[in-house]
Amino acid sequence: MGEKVVAGAFDLSDRQQYRDKLRRCLTGLERLLAQERFDRPKNLMGLEIELNLAGADGLPKMLNGEVLERIASRDFQTELAMFNLEVNIAPHRLGGRVFDRLAEELRTSLAYAHRKAGEVDAGIVMIGILPTLDRDDLVSSNLSDVDRYTLLNDQIVAARGEDFALDIEGVERLSCTSKSIVPEAACTSVQLHLQVTPARFADVWNAAQAVTAAQIAVGANSPFLFGRELWRESRPPLFTQATDTRPPELQAQGVRPRTWFGERWISSAYELFEENLRYFPALLPLCDEEDPLEALEAGGIPSLAELVLHNGTVYRWNRPVYGIADGVPHLRVENRVLPAGPTVTDVIANAAFYYGVVRALAEDARPVWSRLPFEVAEANFDAACRYGIDAKLQWPRRGRLGGVGEVDAVSLVREELLPLAEAGLDAWGVEPADRDYYLGVIEERCRRRVNGATWQVATFRRGVEAGLSRDAALAAMTRRYAELMRVGEAVHTWPVGVPEAAAVR
């Protein structure tokens, strides 16, 4: 959704023209695939992180315009609400000391952004959901001052035709309504990109879908919303409900939500783009001047602008991406599962685990998706979001027994997935020192059963036990989180509790 769009009304002819253009784009994609016009393997990965702005009191600051003006870097962009921004790291080739280089670039970028934010009494907080957000913060007046967000909000609200219902039952229950999509802005994530050839795309996407639950289990970092303790990773249910264009009647009919796990394993990237057209009406029917088929016939590479825009309004947890670099088209798998934070070390550890395990699973002679029913993979994702590192998952049994069996998420990661991730990183050519350090972070989280979500909950409860009110405990926990985030040691080493809570005794 990085396209610059201009707000305005759409009529029936706009939508029909856009649908026709989408079909021509899909035909263009099909021809590009048949002609094998796509980029050859370059082992390229990319990284985006959505961030929060908060003051010294831990409360959100609606200042992204002012902060971005001071940062003055193309690496940083607006996000949906005024307390959000996003940092983009240039693509890197997987191999060597890539993860150490990424970590250094991220630390430098975030430290610079934090200094600039400090000029307006704000700071950068890298966390899945800012615990101090209040319902009054997530209103349409706090949308970023960018036409595309206003237009997207207006179109989703119009498609739904009524208030959005937020209803998440976890440790506690949250039930409320919203007149806009702004609650989606509470969800700040890490997006991991992997460029792949068309021939490898399906295997990589299927592997990524299979491991979403393990990613969430070890990386959960979003247990609070509006003062309530919900799921260990509350972003997926919140995002799903905050972007849901379906009124209850369409939900009852089984119409698919725009935030979607999917419903089957695939055999080509084309299937995902085709599903997006078949199942989801256009939200932003903005037509480009280019005719994709004429561009192809003239020997050019079409931008497929309508297809790209439409694809950006279907929120798959593993999204197919079409792009052009140096005049050559390519495909990427965009993994959108992980929350932001807690530290740069944790983010890079999560990335190393993902890139390693996906490589190994995608090349397995007996693919996991041939032994794991898709609906089980989806149920695993749901369980991991609810219970985080304490989740129990279903996974194919080893040996001749066959079928699937229940396993603790930490046992699955330690005994099966970490060795696969190690082999996958070796296949990418990653230096053993980088491999061992970052996978060691995942191992330690599992051994101690600690991640960002468990630390947040334990520290919040310690504050309440020490006599702080719930709101004061959440604010104190957020301030302590931001402090430890900037120190930078991995979250499994963080001491539980906040100094001010101890002072209350």
Side-chain angles (χ1 to χ4, degrees), residues 209 261-265 369 371-383 394 404:
Q209 288 284 100
F261 188 82
E263 60 194 18
R264 63 190 176 91
W265 306 116
W369 56 92
R371 298 174 286 137
L372 184 70
F374 193 90
E375 60 271 19
V376 174
E378 183 174 16
N380 282 344
F381 178 64
D382 185 77
Q394 301 289 320
V404 298

mmCIF file of all heavy atoms in Angstrom, residues 209 261-265 369 371-383 394 404:
data_model
loop_
_atom_site.group_PDB
_atom_site.id
_atom_site.type_symbol
_atom_site.label_atom_id
_atom_site.label_comp_id
_atom_site.label_asym_id
_atom_site.label_seq_id
_atom_site.Cartn_x
_atom_site.Cartn_y
_atom_site.Cartn_z
ATOM 1 N N GLN A 209 3.676 -20.986 5.297
ATOM 2 C CA GLN A 209 2.388 -21.188 5.942
ATOM 3 C C GLN A 209 2.481 -22.228 7.063
ATOM 4 O O GLN A 209 1.890 -22.078 8.128
ATOM 5 C CB GLN A 209 1.346 -21.655 4.916
ATOM 6 C CG GLN A 209 0.890 -20.576 3.953
ATOM 7 C CD GLN A 209 -0.070 -19.600 4.594
ATOM 8 O OE1 GLN A 209 0.317 -18.514 4.998
ATOM 9 N NE2 GLN A 209 -1.327 -19.964 4.690
ATOM 10 N N PHE A 261 -5.847 -16.397 6.337
ATOM 11 C CA PHE A 261 -4.782 -17.402 6.372
ATOM 12 C C PHE A 261 -4.720 -18.152 5.045
ATOM 13 O O PHE A 261 -3.663 -18.628 4.641
ATOM 14 C CB PHE A 261 -5.041 -18.387 7.519
ATOM 15 C CG PHE A 261 -3.899 -19.343 7.757
ATOM 16 C CD1 PHE A 261 -2.804 -18.954 8.503
ATOM 17 C CD2 PHE A 261 -3.919 -20.623 7.216
ATOM 18 C CE1 PHE A 261 -1.731 -19.837 8.720
ATOM 19 C CE2 PHE A 261 -2.869 -21.505 7.425
ATOM 20 C CZ PHE A 261 -1.770 -21.108 8.182
ATOM 21 N N GLY A 262 -5.837 -18.240 4.356
ATOM 22 C CA GLY A 262 -5.936 -19.063 3.148
ATOM 23 C C GLY A 262 -6.739 -20.314 3.448
ATOM 24 O O GLY A 262 -7.250 -20.500 4.558
ATOM 25 N N GLU A 263 -6.866 -21.200 2.456
ATOM 26 C CA GLU A 263 -7.667 -22.406 2.682
ATOM 27 C C GLU A 263 -7.083 -23.657 2.038
ATOM 28 O O GLU A 263 -7.676 -24.723 2.107
ATOM 29 C CB GLU A 263 -9.104 -22.187 2.189
ATOM 30 C CG GLU A 263 -9.219 -21.854 0.723
ATOM 31 C CD GLU A 263 -10.605 -21.328 0.365
ATOM 32 O OE1 GLU A 263 -11.351 -20.908 1.291
ATOM 33 O OE2 GLU A 263 -10.934 -21.327 -0.825
ATOM 34 N N ARG A 264 -5.898 -23.542 1.404
ATOM 35 C CA ARG A 264 -5.315 -24.726 0.766
ATOM 36 C C ARG A 264 -3.846 -24.480 0.464
ATOM 37 O O ARG A 264 -3.395 -23.339 0.367
ATOM 38 C CB ARG A 264 -6.056 -25.060 -0.524
ATOM 39 C CG ARG A 264 -5.968 -23.969 -1.589
ATOM 40 C CD ARG A 264 -6.908 -24.223 -2.749
ATOM 41 N NE ARG A 264 -6.874 -23.122 -3.710
ATOM 42 C CZ ARG A 264 -6.067 -23.071 -4.764
ATOM 43 N NH1 ARG A 264 -5.208 -24.042 -5.008
ATOM 44 N NH2 ARG A 264 -6.105 -22.041 -5.587
ATOM 45 N N TRP A 265 -3.127 -25.585 0.338
ATOM 46 C CA TRP A 265 -1.763 -25.517 -0.176
ATOM 47 C C TRP A 265 -1.834 -25.188 -1.672
ATOM 48 O O TRP A 265 -2.845 -25.471 -2.326
ATOM 49 C CB TRP A 265 -1.025 -26.837 0.038
ATOM 50 C CG TRP A 265 -1.030 -27.314 1.455
ATOM 51 C CD1 TRP A 265 -1.617 -28.449 1.941
ATOM 52 C CD2 TRP A 265 -0.403 -26.700 2.586
ATOM 53 N NE1 TRP A 265 -1.424 -28.567 3.299
ATOM 54 C CE2 TRP A 265 -0.675 -27.510 3.730
ATOM 55 C CE3 TRP A 265 0.341 -25.532 2.764
ATOM 56 C CZ2 TRP A 265 -0.214 -27.191 5.004
ATOM 57 C CZ3 TRP A 265 0.799 -25.203 4.043
ATOM 58 C CH2 TRP A 265 0.521 -26.039 5.138
ATOM 59 N N TRP A 369 3.884 -30.067 3.994
ATOM 60 C CA TRP A 369 2.498 -29.800 3.594
ATOM 61 C C TRP A 369 1.835 -31.008 2.933
ATOM 62 O O TRP A 369 0.616 -31.036 2.801
ATOM 63 C CB TRP A 369 2.405 -28.566 2.699
ATOM 64 C CG TRP A 369 3.261 -28.606 1.472
ATOM 65 C CD1 TRP A 369 2.915 -29.049 0.216
ATOM 66 C CD2 TRP A 369 4.611 -28.151 1.366
ATOM 67 N NE1 TRP A 369 3.969 -28.907 -0.641
ATOM 68 C CE2 TRP A 369 5.021 -28.353 0.037
ATOM 69 C CE3 TRP A 369 5.512 -27.597 2.269
ATOM 70 C CZ2 TRP A 369 6.299 -28.028 -0.429
ATOM 71 C CZ3 TRP A 369 6.782 -27.266 1.817
ATOM 72 C CH2 TRP A 369 7.173 -27.489 0.490
ATOM 73 N N ARG A 371 1.966 -33.807 4.420
ATOM 74 C CA ARG A 371 1.644 -34.629 5.597
ATOM 75 C C ARG A 371 0.832 -33.875 6.645
ATOM 76 O O ARG A 371 0.387 -34.472 7.616
ATOM 77 C CB ARG A 371 2.952 -35.128 6.228
ATOM 78 C CG ARG A 371 3.774 -36.031 5.292
ATOM 79 C CD ARG A 371 5.120 -36.391 5.897
ATOM 80 N NE ARG A 371 6.067 -35.282 5.874
ATOM 81 C CZ ARG A 371 6.861 -34.941 6.878
ATOM 82 N NH1 ARG A 371 6.805 -35.617 8.021
ATOM 83 N NH2 ARG A 371 7.697 -33.932 6.765
ATOM 84 N N LEU A 372 0.657 -32.568 6.432
ATOM 85 C CA LEU A 372 -0.054 -31.723 7.408
ATOM 86 C C LEU A 372 -1.275 -31.116 6.718
ATOM 87 O O LEU A 372 -1.128 -30.292 5.809
ATOM 88 C CB LEU A 372 0.869 -30.598 7.901
ATOM 89 C CG LEU A 372 0.332 -29.676 8.994
ATOM 90 C CD1 LEU A 372 0.221 -30.417 10.317
ATOM 91 C CD2 LEU A 372 1.224 -28.444 9.131
ATOM 92 N N PRO A 373 -2.491 -31.492 7.106
ATOM 93 C CA PRO A 373 -3.678 -30.887 6.494
ATOM 94 C C PRO A 373 -3.667 -29.366 6.667
ATOM 95 O O PRO A 373 -3.261 -28.856 7.725
ATOM 96 C CB PRO A 373 -4.842 -31.529 7.249
ATOM 97 C CG PRO A 373 -4.287 -32.818 7.785
ATOM 98 C CD PRO A 373 -2.847 -32.532 8.101
ATOM 99 N N PHE A 374 -4.116 -28.655 5.654
ATOM 100 C CA PHE A 374 -4.069 -27.197 5.696
ATOM 101 C C PHE A 374 -4.862 -26.651 6.887
ATOM 102 O O PHE A 374 -4.426 -25.717 7.556
ATOM 103 C CB PHE A 374 -4.604 -26.601 4.386
ATOM 104 C CG PHE A 374 -4.306 -25.138 4.233
ATOM 105 C CD1 PHE A 374 -3.139 -24.712 3.623
ATOM 106 C CD2 PHE A 374 -5.173 -24.168 4.719
ATOM 107 C CE1 PHE A 374 -2.843 -23.360 3.484
ATOM 108 C CE2 PHE A 374 -4.895 -22.814 4.602
ATOM 109 C CZ PHE A 374 -3.731 -22.415 3.974
ATOM 110 N N GLU A 375 -6.030 -27.267 7.150
ATOM 111 C CA GLU A 375 -6.845 -26.771 8.259
ATOM 112 C C GLU A 375 -6.144 -26.966 9.605
ATOM 113 O O GLU A 375 -6.386 -26.226 10.551
ATOM 114 C CB GLU A 375 -8.227 -27.434 8.266
ATOM 115 C CG GLU A 375 -8.223 -28.936 8.398
ATOM 116 C CD GLU A 375 -8.158 -29.675 7.061
ATOM 117 O OE1 GLU A 375 -7.754 -29.039 6.048
ATOM 118 O OE2 GLU A 375 -8.519 -30.865 7.031
ATOM 119 N N VAL A 376 -5.250 -27.948 9.684
ATOM 120 C CA VAL A 376 -4.465 -28.144 10.909
ATOM 121 C C VAL A 376 -3.417 -27.039 11.045
ATOM 122 O O VAL A 376 -3.180 -26.515 12.138
ATOM 123 C CB VAL A 376 -3.820 -29.538 10.926
ATOM 124 C CG1 VAL A 376 -2.879 -29.690 12.118
ATOM 125 C CG2 VAL A 376 -4.892 -30.617 10.958
ATOM 126 N N ALA A 377 -2.804 -26.663 9.912
ATOM 127 C CA ALA A 377 -1.846 -25.551 9.946
ATOM 128 C C ALA A 377 -2.530 -24.270 10.410
ATOM 129 O O ALA A 377 -1.972 -23.495 11.199
ATOM 130 C CB ALA A 377 -1.226 -25.347 8.566
ATOM 131 N N GLU A 378 -3.770 -24.053 9.955
ATOM 132 C CA GLU A 378 -4.513 -22.863 10.379
ATOM 133 C C GLU A 378 -4.869 -22.937 11.867
ATOM 134 O O GLU A 378 -4.761 -21.943 12.591
ATOM 135 C CB GLU A 378 -5.782 -22.701 9.549
ATOM 136 C CG GLU A 378 -6.556 -21.443 9.882
ATOM 137 C CD GLU A 378 -7.734 -21.216 8.971
ATOM 138 O OE1 GLU A 378 -8.156 -22.157 8.267
ATOM 139 O OE2 GLU A 378 -8.261 -20.075 8.959
ATOM 140 N N ALA A 379 -5.267 -24.109 12.335
ATOM 141 C CA ALA A 379 -5.571 -24.277 13.759
ATOM 142 C C ALA A 379 -4.319 -24.066 14.607
ATOM 143 O O ALA A 379 -4.383 -23.505 15.710
ATOM 144 C CB ALA A 379 -6.160 -25.665 14.012
ATOM 145 N N ASN A 380 -3.159 -24.512 14.128
ATOM 146 C CA ASN A 380 -1.893 -24.269 14.819
ATOM 147 C C ASN A 380 -1.633 -22.771 14.964
ATOM 148 O O ASN A 380 -1.194 -22.294 16.023
ATOM 149 C CB ASN A 380 -0.735 -24.906 14.046
ATOM 150 C CG ASN A 380 -0.633 -26.401 14.244
ATOM 151 O OD1 ASN A 380 -1.216 -26.971 15.165
ATOM 152 N ND2 ASN A 380 0.115 -27.056 13.380
ATOM 153 N N PHE A 381 -1.870 -22.028 13.884
ATOM 154 C CA PHE A 381 -1.663 -20.579 13.897
ATOM 155 C C PHE A 381 -2.536 -19.934 14.978
ATOM 156 O O PHE A 381 -2.068 -19.108 15.765
ATOM 157 C CB PHE A 381 -1.993 -20.016 12.513
ATOM 158 C CG PHE A 381 -1.870 -18.520 12.391
ATOM 159 C CD1 PHE A 381 -0.638 -17.896 12.541
ATOM 160 C CD2 PHE A 381 -2.975 -17.736 12.110
ATOM 161 C CE1 PHE A 381 -0.519 -16.513 12.419
ATOM 162 C CE2 PHE A 381 -2.868 -16.357 11.988
ATOM 163 C CZ PHE A 381 -1.642 -15.749 12.137
ATOM 164 N N ASP A 382 -3.796 -20.350 15.035
ATOM 165 C CA ASP A 382 -4.726 -19.824 16.022
ATOM 166 C C ASP A 382 -4.258 -20.161 17.441
ATOM 167 O O ASP A 382 -4.251 -19.300 18.329
ATOM 168 C CB ASP A 382 -6.117 -20.411 15.768
ATOM 169 C CG ASP A 382 -7.171 -19.813 16.678
ATOM 170 O OD1 ASP A 382 -7.596 -18.670 16.419
ATOM 171 O OD2 ASP A 382 -7.575 -20.484 17.648
ATOM 172 N N ALA A 383 -3.824 -21.410 17.657
ATOM 173 C CA ALA A 383 -3.370 -21.830 18.994
ATOM 174 C C ALA A 383 -2.128 -21.049 19.416
ATOM 175 O O ALA A 383 -2.000 -20.636 20.577
ATOM 176 C CB ALA A 383 -3.078 -23.331 18.996
ATOM 177 N N GLN A 394 -0.173 -29.288 16.448
ATOM 178 C CA GLN A 394 -0.246 -30.571 15.749
ATOM 179 C C GLN A 394 0.830 -30.581 14.661
ATOM 180 O O GLN A 394 0.956 -29.616 13.904
ATOM 181 C CB GLN A 394 -1.627 -30.755 15.114
ATOM 182 C CG GLN A 394 -2.783 -30.716 16.099
ATOM 183 C CD GLN A 394 -2.829 -31.950 16.976
ATOM 184 O OE1 GLN A 394 -2.587 -33.066 16.513
ATOM 185 N NE2 GLN A 394 -3.141 -31.755 18.252
ATOM 186 N N VAL A 404 -0.633 -37.017 12.266
ATOM 187 C CA VAL A 404 -0.132 -35.897 13.058
ATOM 188 C C VAL A 404 -0.373 -36.175 14.531
ATOM 189 O O VAL A 404 -1.260 -36.939 14.905
ATOM 190 C CB VAL A 404 -0.811 -34.561 12.648
ATOM 191 C CG1 VAL A 404 -0.505 -34.210 11.208
ATOM 192 C CG2 VAL A 404 -2.309 -34.617 12.881
#
